[in-house]
């Protein structure tokens, strides 16, 4: 690989390395980005630089962050930083369905995620807060004092922004955790592979995520 004089990876190095890790040829990546193979060659050889639009598409396609691509260093943690992109729900055409909980906003978010990763396997994720020991004690007390279905998770749900929807995007060689709010799509590459079987679960911070139904392909 061509590197800077002090041995750090260049933008071209990172594009080439991420492309190979994703199992893509230059021709395949060019086709997915709607650019020429010559453009990919120039980027990887340091004889050209992708514009900001192509940088974002590259980051999404390869499962890395724009920060990682542009950072002069080799910060491995930067590769897993979140990529945030603005969205406009009002411009999305979608229909309510049982899969989206009969919510038009949820249906629109499904459409956005499928449109961003049309060739990937995508599963919806059900989120649930992970209770601390003290919260579990209080939750048990509330269970005795209040009707069924009311407790700490429901209290936290009422406080937190529950408009967000979570998705697991599987690209084969890597996976992305995608969070969609009313204003942004945030994608982050997962360091470890997640089981795609329905009902499988994993934790991210203080949130437990359970794999639910897959999104239908367009």
């Amino acid at each position: 690989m061509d590197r800077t004089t002090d041995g750090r990876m260049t933008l071209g190095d990172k594009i080439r390395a991420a492309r190979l890790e994703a199992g893509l040829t230059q021709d395949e990546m060019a086709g997915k980005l709607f650019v020429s193979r010559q453009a990919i060659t120039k980027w990887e050889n340091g004889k050209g630089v992708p514009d900001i639009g192509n940088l974002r598409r590259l980051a999404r396609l390869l499962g890395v962050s724009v920060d990682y691509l542009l950072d002069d260093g080799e910060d491995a943690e930067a590769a897993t930083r979140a990529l945030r992109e603005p969205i406009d729900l009002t411009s999305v055409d979608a229909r309510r369905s049982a899969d989206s909980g009969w919510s038009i906003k949820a249906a629109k978010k499904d459409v956005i995620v499928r449109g961003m990763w049309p060739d990937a396997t995508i599963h919806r994720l059900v989120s649930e807060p992970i209770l601390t020991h003290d919260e579990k004690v209080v939750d048990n007390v509330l269970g005795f004092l209040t009707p069924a279905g009311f407790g700490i998770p429901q209290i936290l749900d009422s406080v937190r922004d529950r408009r967000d929807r979570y998705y697991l995007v599987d690209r084969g060689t890597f996976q992305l955790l995608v969070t969609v709010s009313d204003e942004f799509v945030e994608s982050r590459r997962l360091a470890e592979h997640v089981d795609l079987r329905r009902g499988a679960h994993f934790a991210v911070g203080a949130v437990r995520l359970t794999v639910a139904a897959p999104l239908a392909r367009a």
Side-chain angles (χ1 to χ4, degrees):
M1 287 185 180
D2 294 331
R3 295 179 179 240
T4 59
T5 54
D6 57 2
R8 293 177 297 178
M9 291 180 74
T10 65
L11 171 61
D13 293 332
K14 292 177 181 179
I15 292 174
R16 183 188 301 115
R19 173 179 61 77
L20 293 174
E21 185 178 351
L24 296 173
T25 66
Q26 286 188 338
D27 282 328
E28 289 170 337
M29 188 160 80
K32 291 179 180 295
L33 296 174
F34 300 102
V35 299
S36 67
R37 183 184 61 78
Q38 288 74 18
I40 303 297
T41 300
K42 287 182 179 179
W43 297 345
E44 293 186 354
N45 291 339
K47 297 180 179 179
V49 177
D51 61 29
I52 188 61
N54 279 321
L55 273 172
R56 288 174 176 166
R57 285 186 282 274
L58 270 170
R60 185 190 308 154
L61 175 66
L62 300 175
V64 297
S65 69
V66 173
D67 285 345
Y68 167 71
L69 292 174
L70 294 179
D71 185 6
D72 286 338
E74 296 184 53
D75 181 4
E77 292 184 0
T80 61
R81 290 175 188 159
L83 171 65
R84 173 174 283 195
E85 301 178 69
I87 58 173
D88 178 13
L89 289 179
T90 62
S91 65
V92 179
D93 184 25
R95 294 182 179 180
R96 292 181 175 86
S97 70
D99 288 339
S100 60
W102 301 110
S103 163
I104 189 62
K105 279 189 176 181
K108 289 185 175 186
K109 291 172 183 179
D110 287 353
V111 170
I112 287 173
V113 172
R114 174 47 73 195
M116 293 178 73
W117 292 278
D119 301 325
T121 299
I122 303 174
H123 283 259
R124 298 180 183 87
L125 296 171
V126 179
S127 62
E128 178 184 8
I130 298 174
L131 303 184
T132 65
H133 173 72
D134 290 341
E135 288 172 339
K136 288 180 180 178
V137 171
V138 174
D139 190 49
N140 287 335
V141 173
L142 286 174
F144 286 109
L145 300 179
T146 61
F150 183 83
I152 287 292
Q154 288 70 36
I155 293 173
L156 292 176
D157 281 354
S158 67
V159 174
R160 296 175 180 172
D161 184 357
R162 303 307 295 173
R163 296 175 301 173
D164 292 357
R165 286 190 46 103
Y166 298 89
Y167 303 85
L168 179 63
V169 177
D170 187 270
R171 299 297 305 271
T173 56
F174 63 86
Q175 294 175 322
L176 300 170
L177 172 62
V178 177
T179 306
V180 186
S181 69
D182 287 356
E183 295 84 23
F184 296 98
V185 174
E186 186 174 280
S187 58
R188 183 187 301 273
R189 186 165 179 167
L190 293 173
E192 297 183 3
H193 189 83
V194 173
D195 189 345
L196 292 178
R197 288 179 298 177
R198 191 165 182 172
H201 58 266
F202 61 102
V204 176
V207 178
R208 172 186 167 115
L209 297 168
T210 302
V211 178
L215 281 185
R217 295 183 184 271

